[in-house]
């Protein structure tokens, strides 16, 4: 049976996560949030005091044996690490930092590959990340690269934080996003870049629904 694979890569704040979930729901496909895997591994290693020794073989073993579960529920997906709910913890800035440290280590990325391949099940998969179309699923039937200017991503994040009652400064948010882009794009292993056969969408001046429609037209044409 054919397993249709749709990859959605791009920088943080481009709307990737929201769009990947909408596309997966529309086609009734499985969903891989690969960023969550890096966050979970970062948290697992931090809890074991291993963040200073990420090149150790022991860290590769921890990555391979990572005890995690993704349990869909009425609110989204419950994420567990070592049997405990970490759904909210892994979204913190702190765990984002751990994840970005883990993400530059080649052998740790390699240790997470099998786990990512395991998500590719019938009828299909929507894989969200940085290297889904370039490294993990290079033969995917539909590849999308969703981007947006750093300024528009910073504005979205600013509004989101304001809505949560935070008094974060716009200039600090923008600087943070630019630094993260640089780290993701300039790293040696699996840098963030569009696959040569990716459909590139710039969401700076588009609504979620407009981007969703563009993606759907593209995917339907390829999978027709
Ligand atoms: O998308 P996110 O913010 O949850 O990703 C967390 C970190 O993991 C971020 O530093 C980028 C990294 N990442 C990666 O290197 N490769 C992926 N496929 C997904 C995320």
């Amino acid at each position: 049976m054919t397993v249709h694979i749709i990859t959605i890569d791009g920088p943080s704040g481009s709307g990737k996560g929201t769009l990947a979930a909408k596309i997966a729901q529309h086609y009734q496909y499985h969903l891989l949030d690969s960023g969550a895997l890096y966050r979970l591994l970062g948290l697992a290693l931090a809890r074991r005091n291993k963040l200073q020794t990420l090149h150790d073989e022991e860290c590769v073993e921890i990555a391979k044996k990572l005890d995690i579960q993704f349990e869909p529920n009425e609110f989204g997906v419950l994420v567990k690490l070592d049997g405990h709910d970490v759904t909210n913890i892994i979204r913190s800035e702190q765990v984002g930092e751990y994840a970005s440290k883990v993400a530059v280590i080649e052998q740790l990325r390699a240790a997470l590959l099998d786990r990512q391949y395991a998500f590719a099940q019938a009828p299909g998969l929507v894989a969200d990340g940085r290297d889904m179309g370039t490294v993990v699923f290079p033969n995917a039937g539909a590849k999308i690269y969703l981007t947006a200017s750093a300024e528009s991503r910073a504005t979205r994040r600013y509004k989101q934080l304001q809505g949560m009652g935070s008094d974060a400064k716009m200039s600090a948010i923008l600087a943070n996003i630019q630094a993260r882009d640089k780290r993701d794009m300039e790293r040696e292993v699996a840098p963030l870049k569009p696959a040569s056969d990716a459909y590139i969408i710039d969401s700076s001046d588009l609504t979620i629904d407009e981007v969703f429609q563009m993606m759907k037209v593209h995917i339907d044409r390829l999978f027709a």
Side-chain angles (χ1 to χ4, degrees):
M1 194 182 203
T2 316
V3 178
H4 289 295
I5 298 186
I6 300 166
T7 59
I8 305 181
D9 290 304
S12 51
S14 58
K16 229 166 16 102
T18 308
L19 265 312
K22 275 176 84 81
I23 292 286
Q25 195 193 19
H26 176 78
Y27 292 98
Q28 289 290 293
Y29 285 1
H30 299 276
L31 176 65
L32 165 61
D33 171 2
S34 61
L37 292 181
Y38 288 92
R39 288 171 181 269
L40 285 160
L41 179 56
L43 181 61
L45 292 170
R47 285 180 170 174
R48 290 165 177 78
N49 279 321
K50 296 283 177 208
L51 288 182
Q52 308 308 322
T53 55
L54 289 176
H55 289 279
D56 283 3
E57 187 55 29
E58 209 185 330
C59 294
V60 173
E61 286 309 306
I62 294 170
K64 285 187 181 157
K65 294 190 185 125
L66 208 57
D67 174 14
I68 56 180
Q69 279 101 37
F70 292 94
E71 297 172 3
N73 63 18
E74 58 189 302
F75 308 110
V77 181
L78 183 74
V79 186
K80 286 186 177 173
L81 174 64
D82 298 321
H84 300 287
D85 180 4
V86 292
T87 315
N88 295 327
I89 302 171
I90 60 162
R91 298 298 156 199
S92 67
E93 286 296 317
Q94 171 92 82
V95 176
E97 281 299 311
Y98 301 159
S100 72
K101 290 200 168 109
V102 163
V104 295
I105 316 277
E106 188 163 17
Q107 59 268 39
L108 294 181
R109 300 192 70 89
L112 292 179
L113 280 176
D114 282 343
R115 216 176 272 270
Q116 297 179 72
Y117 299 149
F119 278 81
Q121 289 184 21
L125 173 69
V126 178
D128 160 3
R130 305 289 192 288
D131 61 343
M132 297 295 99
T134 49
V135 175
V136 184
F137 299 109
N139 299 321
K143 297 182 186 178
I144 293 162
Y145 186 85
L146 183 60
T147 186
S149 69
E151 288 72 17
S152 65
R153 287 182 284 131
T155 306
R156 286 176 195 161
R157 181 77 182 139
Y158 179 68
K159 287 185 184 155
Q160 197 182 33
L161 287 171
Q162 266 193 330
M164 287 157 57
S166 158
D167 62 352
K169 298 269 177 299
M170 180 66 185
S171 55
I173 296 171
L174 180 60
N176 197 334
I177 284 182
Q178 285 166 332
R180 201 178 283 196
D181 282 358
K182 190 168 154 61
R183 218 161 42 205
D184 280 349
M185 290 173 183
E186 292 182 1
R187 71 176 176 222
E188 279 181 25
V189 256
L192 171 63
K193 63 173 183 199
S196 56
D197 50 349
Y199 171 44
I200 300 176
I201 302 177
D202 184 329
S203 73
S204 303
D205 300 312
L206 299 171
T207 63
I208 294 276
D209 201 52
E210 285 167 333
V211 178
F212 175 74
Q213 294 305 330
M214 288 168 76
M215 288 186 172
K216 206 160 78 62
V217 168
H218 178 70
I219 295 163
D220 286 342
R221 199 168 42 218
L222 288 173
F223 289 168

